[in-house]
Amino acid sequence: PIDATGSNQVCNTFGIHPQLPIIKELYDANEALFFANTGVLAQPSTKYDNWQRNNKIQLFAHNHMNLEHQANDPHKMKPETGVGGRMMDMLRKNGYQTSPNSVDGKQLIMKGFSWYGNPDWTVSLAETMVIDKYSSVGSEGQMLEFIKTINGLGEAGNSKFGETWSSRVSQSLFEYDEGKKVADALRDGIIDIGGYSKAGDSVGLQLKATFRHIKSRHMRKVDREMYFVTQGKFDMHGSDKLFENFEDTNGALETFIKKIKEEGLWDNTVILMTSEFGRSITPNSGGGSDHAWGGNYFMLGGSVKGGRILGTYPDDLTENSDIWVRRGRLIPTLPWDSVWSGLAHWMGVKGDTDLDFILPSRRYFDKCDMFTDEDLFDNFSTPHNVCLVEDADGDGIVDAEDECQDTAYWVEDAILDSNGCHLPTPSPAPTTAAPTDSPTSSPTSLYDIFYESESLLNSLDDCTDIKSSAGGARNGAYIDMCGAGSFIEFPNVDGGATGGECVLAFRYASGSERTRPCDIRVNGNKIGTLSFPLTGAWDNWQMQTITTTCSPGTNTVRVTSVDTGPNIDYLAVMFTAPPTPPTPTIPMTNAPTVAATTPPPPTPTAFQTMFEAENAARDSCSQVKNQYSGATNGKYVDMCGAGSWVEFSNVNGDLGSCTLSIRYSHGSSNTAPRPCQLSVNGAIVGSFNFVSTGGWDQWQTESITTTCQSGGNVVRVAAVDNGGPNLDHLSVIFS
């Protein structure tokens, strides 16, 4: 028995199956709660409301209801996507590093929209094994490279079936590459799952695979992820196997939860049990139960506000009930939308716009009937009474007073004006110079800023997609443009305080036998057309440039294909001369200038690149913010106490000397330095002192010269004792 006193249910005592002692234990410890009479629902209904017409759902069939509950979109507003995938899409759009994962086979629930670059990963039950070990073509793995090339970018007019096949093959091979990295880490002892033993049947193996994948989270650089695990054998029309099935469930959960607690993740983990439908109350002639609708489900977790039953358990289990429909089936009174709403809030989603994207049917219910994280969790950020106001972007300013209803909500402590706005200054139209059509091997200016094409800040048409199947891209990913009219728009190209003549350099690949011309627009004005000629292969990258005048502040650069566009890796903005400052300054990658009292970095002799801190990996405490002004692109990372870190990966360069410069601010009233260790590729190479800058909006630079390896380097800045400063960016000068 469990005590439901205080849950406002028809009974104060309920029962849990004796084969599920772990659920009873967690409920009594206030770490488990139940949702009563819950199910997929298009709108509130009783049997007197023409419930079949109002709920256009293919009820009572496993295949249809399985899709319905995974999609949670009965009005079919977000076709071919799942509720978990859409949640991950919104979190990724707003700055989180996300990963939707289906264990042992892809599931609809984890599928989002392709343009958010958030693919559904398949987590295999077994560790990834080497394939093509004894290649029939060349050396080990060479056949795989051929397969990747064959299934790369297609051509206009290709078969949809062929393109679908190639897309699936490419995705599978990419997942294989990532899975092999995890398997290698397990073999080398970098990841240790601590003697995790099998518990239960299939569900035990799936949870073991889930835990193994969670252990690789730092390698994968994620801070929000979901896993979908399945357990079958509950369709008991004529037999009772609950004891056997629940024994498997209980054993699997006990082992998994024990390992999660050992990992220190229990407070950050939630286990939600769902099903396509409940079972009928009345038995059938075979002594079993039949397909029904509303059911009862549980949620487990260290932060769950447990020991309660939410929703409404039916007070009438007879055919006289308003929700009884045929053969002991009950219409749900708690929609899954409400449960997912509370979970989405806890994961970091805010604002009516994003919640409506995740839960398209939410608008058909009273908003105050939707849970927030306050209803479900001890550690919450969104009070339930937020339902009383309309706040599209979740910035805390009601829509009636908010002149900017698309303010980014994910940056904590963001400074907004009284109208809810935080907008860049509009830019005037630029003047233009003739484009240069000849590809160049690399940028040559000393004032380079790189804007990655796969960044979620960019806008893409519905067809253009983010991909990673071709090699050689700067950060491993690029955008694959489609036919005529396809585009990519870079919305935050920084022109600095004064603007000036600038070169826009596009790194691209075109492996087909024709040029791929594109129109280039800056702030809405066409400045020319680049031809993007053949590069010889899709993994052979070249540059095309066009010179124009960048306006002060933020510029928007759009590339639109005339016929069919190329693959684009990044946009590099190169200023032909540094802005003339009113006082002596140190030019740093077209960032806001730094006072001359700051020790200058060495003069670059080859090329200089910049890596924004807000795009780097970081510990779970350090946060991306925009509270203080002066940071490049308006954002920075606020480091935490001792041990907090920011890690820049894929710092590409040549073997030899490199100068690593960190732009930072330290405006604390405690002016003691905030020292940090600098490591390159895992080896400590020096320390930054990070002295006080006199204010959080006053930025300075500290530099260390060391040796970088050829290709990708990993650079980490880690706080030593007093906590780290605010980090704006890493600037690297290779000489």
Side-chain angles (χ1 to χ4, degrees):
I2 58 171
D3 183 5
T5 304
S7 295
N8 297 318
Q9 301 296 337
V10 63
C11 304
N12 288 330
T13 302
F14 286 81
I16 296 178
H17 197 281
Q19 291 298 96
L20 293 173
I22 185 63
I23 310 298
K24 157 74 172 171
E25 175 187 328
L26 294 173
Y27 184 92
D28 290 344
N30 294 326
E31 294 182 339
L33 58 77
F34 285 90
F35 301 107
N37 196 30
T38 305
V40 176
L41 199 60
Q43 63 187 65
S45 301
T46 70
K47 66 182 181 183
Y48 304 112
D49 298 328
N50 200 339
W51 55 273
Q52 288 178 301
R53 183 191 65 188
N54 293 340
N55 292 276
K56 296 179 180 179
I57 303 169
Q58 186 69 37
L59 292 167
F60 315 132
H62 283 292
N63 56 340
H64 291 290
M65 287 303 293
N66 191 38
L67 294 176
E68 291 284 1
H69 110 274
Q70 291 192 36
N72 203 69
D73 179 23
H75 294 279
K76 307 300 185 288
M77 293 186 232
K78 306 290 182 183
E80 298 185 22
T81 62
V83 61
R86 297 193 299 270
M87 188 187 302
M88 293 291 101
D89 283 349
M90 291 300 95
L91 289 168
R92 189 173 181 86
K93 182 195 75 171
N94 288 297
Y96 293 100
Q97 302 301 312
T98 58
S99 178
N101 306 287
S102 295
V103 182
D104 196 27
K106 291 192 180 297
Q107 300 286 346
L108 177 67
I109 191 170
M110 292 301 172
K111 184 180 178 182
F113 287 94
S114 61
W115 50 83
Y116 289 104
N118 209 24
D120 170 14
W121 291 91
T122 298
V123 178
S124 61
L125 297 185
E127 297 175 14
T128 302
M129 306 298 291
V130 175
I131 58 176
D132 194 31
K133 186 173 183 179
Y134 305 104
S135 179
S136 59
V137 179
S139 58
E140 176 182 328
Q142 192 168 347
M143 177 64 80
L144 289 181
E145 297 307 313
F146 287 143
I147 294 173
K148 292 176 184 178
T149 301
I150 293 170
N151 290 282
L153 185 66
E155 300 288 344
N158 280 3
S159 159
K160 180 175 178 63
F161 296 105
E163 288 298 292
T164 301
W165 169 271
S166 292
S167 175
R168 296 288 177 87
V169 170
S170 297
Q171 174 68 17
S172 296
L173 291 176
F174 184 63
E175 290 181 6
Y176 163 76
D177 289 339
E178 295 302 304
K180 191 171 181 300
K181 292 178 185 177
V182 176
D184 291 343
L186 281 163
R187 183 196 61 217
D188 297 338
I190 299 171
I191 295 176
D192 180 13
I193 62 174
Y196 195 119
S197 59
K198 177 185 174 183
D201 197 354
S202 171
V203 66
L205 290 173
Q206 291 177 71
L207 288 177
K208 180 178 180 179
T210 299
F211 180 72
R212 183 179 67 234
H213 205 62
I214 289 173
K215 288 281 288 187
S216 70
R217 65 193 182 280
H218 297 306
M219 291 177 55
R220 295 179 290 114
K221 298 181 175 62
V222 297
D223 53 21
R224 295 291 188 278
E225 57 183 338
M226 296 178 68
Y227 294 82
F228 188 69
V229 173
T230 61
Q231 183 182 15
K233 303 180 182 178
F234 287 94
D235 191 24
M236 292 172 281
H237 292 279
S239 62
D240 185 355
K241 295 182 181 179
L242 278 179
F243 275 83
E244 176 184 335
N245 291 351
F246 282 165
E247 183 178 15
D248 290 340
T249 305
N250 193 80
L253 285 174
E254 280 185 339
T255 304
F256 179 76
I257 292 169
K258 177 177 179 289
K259 302 304 293 186
I260 287 292
K261 288 181 176 179
E262 291 175 357
E263 190 72 8
L265 294 176
W266 182 232
D267 287 348
N268 297 321
T269 301
V270 165
I271 302 170
L272 175 64
M273 189 268 281
T274 71
S275 179
E276 67 268 40
F277 44 57
R279 307 295 295 188
S280 60
I281 294 175
T282 55
N284 60 25
S285 59
S289 60
D290 291 326
H291 304 172
W293 194 353
N296 306 305
Y297 306 96
F298 60 73
M299 175 183 280
L300 318 175
S303 296
V304 169
K305 193 181 293 183
R308 300 174 301 145
I309 300 174
L310 302 183
T312 303
Y313 192 85
D315 58 2
D316 186 350
L317 298 179
T318 72
E319 60 185 11
N320 297 321
S321 169
D322 290 347
I323 56 175
W324 175 291
V325 290
R326 297 201 307 258
R327 299 168 56 191
R329 295 162 170 165
L330 300 180
I331 300 174
T333 48
L334 179 64
W336 274 118
D337 298 75
S338 185
V339 178
W340 288 116
S341 173
L343 185 57
H345 277 294
W346 187 70
M347 293 285 281
V349 177
K350 297 179 183 177
D352 292 330
T353 299
D354 286 357
L355 286 169
D356 285 342
F357 179 92
I358 298 168
L359 305 167
S361 298
R362 174 176 173 267
R363 68 197 69 182
Y364 292 90
F365 299 88
D366 188 327
K367 196 161 70 167
C368 288
D369 288 338
M370 298 286 108
F371 294 137
T372 71
D373 50 347
E374 181 184 24
D375 300 303
L376 306 183
F377 299 97
D378 292 320
N379 56 340
F380 63 90
S381 61
T382 307
H384 185 82
N385 61 10
V386 74
C387 69
L388 300 175
V389 299
E390 298 296 324
D391 182 7
D393 54 8
D395 62 359
I397 298 176
V398 298
D399 290 349
E401 302 173 5
D402 193 345
E403 295 183 6
C404 303
Q405 294 184 19
D406 59 354
T407 306
Y409 64 75
W410 64 277
V411 181
E412 294 185 9
D413 304 321
I415 296 178
L416 307 175
D417 63 23
S418 59
N419 298 319
C421 297
H422 187 75
L423 299 174
T425 304
S427 302
T431 58
T432 63
T436 61
D437 274 346
S438 301
T440 57
S441 60
S442 64
T444 57
S445 168
L446 300 181
Y447 303 94
D448 298 341
I449 306 177
F450 290 83
Y451 299 90
E452 294 292 341
S453 63
E454 68 271 17
S455 169
L456 296 179
L457 297 174
N458 301 332
S459 298
L460 308 175
D461 63 279
D462 289 345
C463 181
T464 297
D465 203 359
I466 297 172
K467 291 189 176 180
S468 58
S469 54
R474 182 168 180 259
N475 283 335
Y478 54 88
I479 62 107
D480 176 4
M481 297 185 72
C482 293
S486 61
F487 68 86
I488 177 174
E489 183 173 282
F490 302 85
N492 61 335
V493 176
D494 187 10
T498 59
E501 187 176 70
C502 58
V503 178
L504 307 181
F506 299 91
R507 189 169 189 257
Y508 79 100
S510 175
S512 64
E513 298 178 357
R514 65 174 183 272
T515 60
R516 296 178 175 246
C518 293
D519 291 335
I520 311 300
R521 294 180 178 271
V522 176
N523 301 321
N525 299 279
K526 181 178 176 180
I527 63 170
T529 301
L530 291 177
S531 62
F532 293 118
L534 182 69
T535 62
W538 289 111
D539 58 357
N540 186 17
W541 300 87
Q542 296 183 10
M543 300 291 291
Q544 276 217 295
T545 63
I546 185 169
T547 302
T548 184
T549 298
C550 288
S551 301
T554 301
N555 296 261
T556 298
V557 176
R558 176 177 283 219
V559 181
T560 305
S561 60
V562 176
D563 180 9
T564 298
N567 292 351
I568 294 181
D569 184 8
Y570 61 73
L571 161 66
V573 182
M574 301 174 284
F575 288 84
T576 56
T580 302
T583 56
T585 59
I586 302 165
M588 281 297 296
T589 320
N590 197 36
T593 56
V594 183
T597 54
T598 305
T603 302
T605 58
F607 61 94
Q608 173 175 313
T609 58
M610 188 178 72
F611 301 86
E612 293 290 346
E614 63 268 20
N615 296 329
R618 60 187 185 275
D619 64 280
S620 59
C621 179
S622 299
Q623 296 180 347
V624 175
K625 294 188 177 182
N626 67 353
Q627 181 177 358
Y628 299 106
S629 62
T632 312
N633 291 337
K635 295 189 284 291
Y636 55 88
V637 171
D638 179 1
M639 296 183 70
C640 291
S644 61
W645 53 269
V646 176
E647 183 175 278
F648 304 86
S649 59
N650 293 315
V651 178
N652 292 325
D654 296 325
L655 177 64
S657 178
C658 58
T659 299
L660 309 178
S661 301
I662 296 291
R663 190 168 188 264
Y664 77 99
S665 70
H666 168 16
S668 174
S669 57
N670 180 357
T671 59
R674 298 194 169 197
C676 292
Q677 285 183 335
L678 175 69
S679 62
V680 177
N681 302 320
I684 297 174
V685 299
S687 296
F688 294 111
N689 201 27
F690 291 137
V691 298
S692 174
T693 60
W696 289 113
D697 56 358
Q698 302 296 314
W699 300 85
Q700 296 183 9
T701 301
E702 287 197 21
S703 304
I704 290 177
T705 299
T706 185
T707 299
C708 290
Q709 69 182 18
S710 178
N713 295 264
V714 177
V715 177
R716 175 177 284 213
V717 179
V720 177
D721 47 25
N722 294 330
N726 290 349
L727 294 191
D728 182 11
H729 63 244
L730 163 68
S731 181
V732 186
I733 301 172
F734 296 95
S735 56

